[in-house]
Amino acid sequence: MTSDSVPISRRRNQTRQQQKPDSNNSNFSDKTGSQQNLMRQHQLRRIKHRQQEERKLKCTLFTFITFIMGATAYLLFNLVIMGGSGGIVDAFGGGSSSSASQYLYASMEPKDAYPVKELLHPNYMNNVTSTAPLEVDVVHPSFLYPPSSNSNNHNHDAASRHRVVEFYAPWCPHCQHLKKKYVKFARNLVKAGWERGEDIDVYAVSCTPHKAVCHDLDIYSFPTIRLYKGGTYNGTDLKQGKLHPLLVFQTLGIQNNKDDILMEEEEEQEKGEHNHFSKKISHLRQQAISNNNNYSKKKKNQNKATTSKKNVYNDAAVSFEFAMKHGIFTRATNDGSLDYNQTRIFHKWLDLLEKSLPPAWALHDTVDALLTHKYDIVQSEYNLTSVLRSVSSSSSQHHHNKKDNTENRTVEGNAKEDVDDDNYQWSTACSHGNDVSGYTCGLWQLFHIISIGVVEWGVWVTDDYQSISTMDAADLIRNYIDSFFACEECRTNFVKDYDNCSVARRCERLSFNHTKSRSDLIQLPLWLWETHNSINVRLMKERFQRQVEENTNQKATLTLQDEIDVQWPSRQDCPSCWNWDGTWNEEPVYQYLRIYYWPDDAISREYKNKLFPKISSSSKINTNSILFGNSLPSSSALLLPLGALCVFVVLWYFKSIQKKKHRLT
């Protein structure tokens, strides 16, 4: 059939079918395009997510590396600049201390110290917060010395007024306790003088920076309070227990008819206050006991956290140098030399140090130099200071040049550094934040080291006559304190207890026999330790009484448990040192003292195994942490693990990036 014979309607249908698109092909192409769009969007999301993860990793890594670099820089600074001790100075001192710490009253706020005026050196005026008399001639201040012919800056008005002057040492505990009482006394005195038409000034002189002034005025003990009448320069000493404005007026000859009546009224008022607060004393006593216990626990925890054997030797060495420069010539003769008795005691003291100090301690260099010039150093304070300075500079030169390091003997890493005349720094455990308060603490550390050294010397000598008798060593400690320790009340109490044998059974346990018997020799460190504990108990009672008196003027007593809490070592530190009935077990106590105050050796390790068997067998560091607290490792010891940690972090970062790329692909 030809196309001509096909009906027209049929041809039209065929044409329409040919022109109609293929639905199957169209659906396939649409599906393919949508899948490609989905894959493209999914790939973009994966790329975006990977970029976000990389940014997070980079940010985390940058933060961590920055922290590690900062910590490493800080440790390097301590290692290179601070000598690797984190600011703790080495055996012979070093470091810096605030000059304001040498003044008790100038370091207070002006409103708290008013009206006490403190003599300050012009160089220290920028380092204190309180106003004080700026004396051009600090060697001869106008309120203590008459005007000289060559002085153009003398304040005549200051000398024309009545003056009360306290001479003190900032390291003296009783001077520190007297501070608030002296300010209160000064305010009452100035007020009472104003009511009577009398001008009275109240001064304070620190004998540490102004040593020449105190020596020139024959100030031999601290604190010394002296009254000067207007226009005169010869003072009268006042007793600390009688600091009352009316007694000052009586001494000056300024007597008011009402003064006797006022004193009687004040005595009756004190009795009335006593009766008024008698009902509340029980509550206040418990509150004071609680505060004292909290203070003791806080102090105990602080000592545990900061005390180490390195700090013990540092504190002892710094106190030794401080005593040489500020204690030996406190009561010198008029010509500036030591008298015969002082010379004999000082020479015997140096001989004892030479025998009893640990052989590897760098302080031996100083003692040897002093013994070499022992006849020169007693002639003047200048000679003594010159020898100390020469030893310090020589040691510093060896240290910086790094020559012949084997001759620089050290104990527990201690080495001597160059020390300025007025820069001393004790550990925080000794000073409790006050730069000059560590003197007495460090001196006790030195006494304990000497007592252990006497035992070590006696055990190893070949003949009995070469040993040091325990009574001779104790007498030397007593005579040294009596001759060269300037805190009057501390010195008086110690000498009185020693001479009366009233503390620690001295006359029973010590003897003049020269013996090698260990059981006899260890009685010296045990006596000194028991004496130290008894003094701590007495000071705790005095502190408690001051707390109660500030509120009620009423004295109370403490419990036996309070006295036990301040004694050392505690049951937690040394369980073996205590018996079940609360008494001491002397042999473990001596072993503990030797571990604490003598360099580590085979005997110390043996004692550690006995006192701490479980801990010593597993870790030596844990034993030291119990004895001296948890101390941080040295800077050099931390550098290696920190560097390894940085390398590990970098490798981990690149490994994580590779894993991410592999997973995405």
Side-chain angles (χ1 to χ4, degrees), residues 26-212:
S26 177
N27 292 336
F28 177 77
S29 61
D30 293 341
K31 186 181 295 184
T32 302
S34 61
Q35 290 178 353
Q36 291 178 352
N37 292 333
L38 290 175
M39 291 177 63
R40 191 177 297 107
Q41 294 176 2
H42 180 65
Q43 187 175 7
L44 291 175
R45 283 196 298 269
R46 292 174 62 185
I47 294 173
K48 185 177 181 180
H49 178 71
R50 182 177 63 185
Q51 293 175 349
Q52 292 177 351
E53 291 293 328
E54 289 179 354
R55 282 196 296 268
K56 290 181 180 179
L57 287 174
K58 290 180 180 179
C59 182
T60 303
L61 181 63
F62 176 78
T63 303
F64 187 78
I65 291 179
T66 303
F67 171 77
I68 295 297
M69 292 178 63
T72 304
Y74 173 75
L75 294 174
L76 284 173
F77 173 80
N78 283 341
L79 181 63
V80 178
I81 305 300
M82 305 299 291
S85 60
I88 301 299
V89 295
D90 290 330
F92 201 67
S96 61
S97 61
S98 174
S99 58
S101 63
Q102 301 185 23
Y103 299 96
L104 291 181
Y105 300 94
S107 59
M108 301 171 61
E109 292 294 332
K111 61 182 181 62
D112 296 332
Y114 176 82
V116 178
K117 303 176 183 179
E118 179 127 41
L119 175 64
L120 295 180
H121 194 280
N123 294 340
Y124 295 149
M125 290 299 295
N126 295 329
N127 299 328
V128 296
T129 59
S130 177
T131 58
L134 178 60
E135 291 281 347
V136 177
D137 187 5
V138 294
V139 180
H140 299 90
S142 58
F143 61 93
L144 294 175
Y145 290 87
S148 58
S149 58
N150 56 354
S151 177
N152 298 324
N153 299 295
H154 192 84
N155 187 355
H156 297 274
D157 184 60
S160 63
R161 302 156 65 97
H162 303 305
R163 292 100 64 204
V164 175
V165 184
E166 179 196 4
F167 301 91
Y168 70 90
W171 51 264
C172 175
H174 294 281
C175 299
Q176 299 170 6
H177 298 158
L178 184 65
K179 180 171 64 173
K180 292 183 179 180
K181 183 178 179 181
Y182 187 68
V183 171
K184 183 178 179 180
F185 159 74
R187 292 173 180 173
N188 295 335
L189 179 63
V190 172
K191 180 180 179 182
W194 178 78
E195 293 175 351
R196 289 161 176 76
E198 298 289 342
D199 294 329
I200 300 179
D201 292 331
V202 183
Y203 294 92
V205 177
S206 176
C207 290
T208 298
H210 303 287
K211 183 166 52 178

Side-chain angles (χ1 to χ4, degrees), residues 288-334:
I289 292 175
S290 176
N291 294 337
N292 182 77
N293 289 339
N294 293 334
Y295 172 81
S296 300
K297 292 179 180 179
K298 181 179 179 181
K299 179 180 179 181
K300 183 177 178 181
N301 294 333
Q302 182 184 15
N303 289 342
K304 286 184 178 180
T306 58
T307 304
S308 66
K309 187 170 293 188
K310 180 178 180 179
N311 288 341
V312 168
Y313 279 91
N314 170 79
D315 296 334
V318 175
S319 290
F320 172 79
E321 189 204 0
F322 188 90
M324 294 297 102
K325 294 184 177 181
H326 300 280
I328 300 302
F329 284 87
T330 301
R331 290 186 284 179
T333 59
N334 293 331

Side-chain angles (χ1 to χ4, degrees), residues 615-632:
I615 301 177
S616 297
S617 60
S618 60
S619 175
K620 178 180 178 181
I621 298 179
N622 291 338
T623 305
N624 291 332
S625 66
I626 286 185
L627 292 175
F628 311 115
N630 297 323
S631 58
L632 293 176

Side-chain angles (χ1 to χ4, degrees), residues 536-552:
N536 287 337
V537 171
R538 177 173 55 81
L539 294 177
M540 183 265 295
K541 291 180 179 179
E542 293 176 357
R543 181 173 61 250
F544 169 77
Q545 291 173 358
R546 287 194 300 271
Q547 291 174 352
V548 176
E549 288 176 351
E550 288 177 358
N551 297 280
T552 65

